[in-house]
Amino acid sequence: MKVLNSIKERLTSALAILILMAAVVLCNARFPAALNIVIAMISVMAVWEITAALQMTRQIALMVPSMILAAVLPFLTGLFAQGMGLFIYTVVLFSAMILYHSVITFREVAIIYSMSLLIPTALQALVLLRDFGSSHGMFHVIVAIFSAWVADAGAYIFGSLFGKHKLCPNISPKKTVEGAIGGIVADILIMLLFGLIFQDFYWNKTVHVNFFVLAAIGLFGALLSMLGDLSFSIIKRSCHIKDFSELIPGHGGILDRFDSVIFVAPFVCLFVRIFPMVYA
């Protein structure tokens, strides 16, 4: 009964996330800022979770500018604006270290600084993908997000059914080699399926999808998804916590759901600029 309740809880939360994503996709034509707003909210909550896990939320002089950066960065899509935002944040954070050197250590600054740069800039790649893809931009975003999530779900399912050999027992005891292979295969197949659906059901079938690019995104996206998951698993183990929060029932916190996206989204953003995924 406990297992069934857990699965039901996970599925309910997953459905809520999918509904939110669908709303953002459908609103994109008339209200494109919806994606920026959602990414900003996710970034703020993720930065809060990582600092809370590290027990640094009381350092107000570091937390406030970090939260502001996380909220603002998804709207700074221009190279100059983004550069200025990061520069101002850097100046403010290190000025705070100097002003409050008696209570703020360089270790705290280094940790918050690195996490506040990594998380919002990585998630901002989803906005850049949308803008780069023009009228097909939201398809790029969907591919980037689901490339991370499908690999995670595939690894969980295949690992539960066939897992025998531990992948990284000292980091994440439940992950298996069989699960990892299953996640890669599932990711490639689902990316190809996404491409087929998008190409066949797009208006008047006026677009063509590069299935080789989608297969490559499925392969490397799955590998990067595992890298992100394992990286944040190490952080959780070092903080002696199971999840970053209980915000998403059955899944944990925002970071527990988006840790893999943080690694996959920038890769997809870079990859499709070199190898176009959709063409007329």
Side-chain angles (χ1 to χ4, degrees):
M1 183 63 69
K2 185 177 180 181
V3 175
L4 290 176
N5 289 334
S6 177
I7 293 174
K8 182 180 178 180
E9 194 175 49
R10 287 177 66 89
L11 290 175
T12 302
S13 298
L15 180 61
I17 293 172
L18 290 176
I19 292 173
L20 175 62
M21 287 183 60
V24 172
V25 171
L26 293 174
C27 290
N28 184 68
R30 294 188 177 183
F31 187 53
L35 179 64
N36 303 66
I37 293 171
V38 170
I39 296 301
M41 293 171 59
I42 292 171
S43 297
V44 168
M45 289 185 285
V47 170
W48 174 265
E49 285 181 351
I50 192 71
T51 50
L54 295 165
Q55 300 180 346
M56 295 182 184
T57 53
R58 293 185 179 181
Q59 296 292 13
I60 303 300
L62 302 181
M63 281 298 303
V64 171
S66 298
M67 300 293 277
I68 292 174
L69 177 73
V72 170
L73 200 58
F75 297 92
L76 305 179
T77 54
L79 184 61
F80 176 77
Q82 184 180 23
M84 286 302 299
L86 295 177
F87 173 71
I88 292 171
Y89 172 68
T90 301
V91 170
V92 170
L93 212 68
F94 280 83
S95 296
M97 182 181 69
I98 294 172
L99 290 172
Y100 303 103
H101 63 274
S102 59
V103 292
I104 294 178
T105 65
F106 173 70
R107 175 182 174 275
E108 292 173 320
V109 173
I111 292 173
I112 291 181
Y113 183 75
S114 61
M115 291 296 101
S116 297
L117 290 186
L118 169 65
I119 295 170
T121 53
L123 293 176
Q124 187 197 36
L126 295 171
V127 178
L128 299 178
L129 266 172
R130 189 270 314 274
D131 295 342
F132 173 75
S134 187
S135 59
H136 314 309
M138 290 308 294
F139 177 64
H140 289 70
V141 174
I142 291 170
V143 165
I145 294 175
F146 277 92
S147 178
W149 287 355
V150 168
D152 184 42
Y156 175 78
I157 294 171
F158 279 88
S160 300
L161 294 175
F162 309 109
K164 293 182 178 180
H165 302 88
K166 299 296 184 181
L167 182 65
C168 297
N170 294 328
I171 299 175
S172 186
K174 293 183 179 180
K175 286 183 171 53
T176 63
V177 174
E178 292 81 5
I181 294 172
I184 293 171
V185 173
D187 214 359
I188 294 173
L189 292 177
I190 294 298
M191 290 305 103
L192 293 176
L193 179 61
F194 277 6
L196 186 64
I197 294 172
F198 181 72
Q199 180 173 272
D200 286 352
F201 288 91
Y202 192 77
W203 182 256
N204 288 335
K205 299 183 180 180
T206 55
V207 299
H208 299 279
V209 173
N210 191 326
F211 289 97
F212 291 104
V213 171
L214 280 172
I217 289 174
L219 171 61
F220 293 108
L223 295 173
L224 288 169
S225 175
M226 286 185 279
L227 176 63
D229 193 11
L230 291 171
S231 297
F232 280 89
S233 290
I234 290 178
I235 295 174
K236 286 188 286 187
R237 288 181 70 85
S238 66
C239 295
H240 306 289
I241 58 175
K242 180 183 177 183
D243 297 315
F244 282 104
S245 75
E246 299 178 357
L247 183 65
I248 308 175
H251 294 266
I254 287 292
L255 272 175
D256 294 292
R257 187 68 276 158
F258 283 87
D259 52 3
S260 53
V261 179
I262 288 170
F263 281 71
V264 175
F267 160 72
V268 176
C269 189
L270 173 64
F271 196 71
V272 298
R273 288 174 182 266
I274 302 172
F275 305 102
M277 181 165 52
V278 179
Y279 53 94

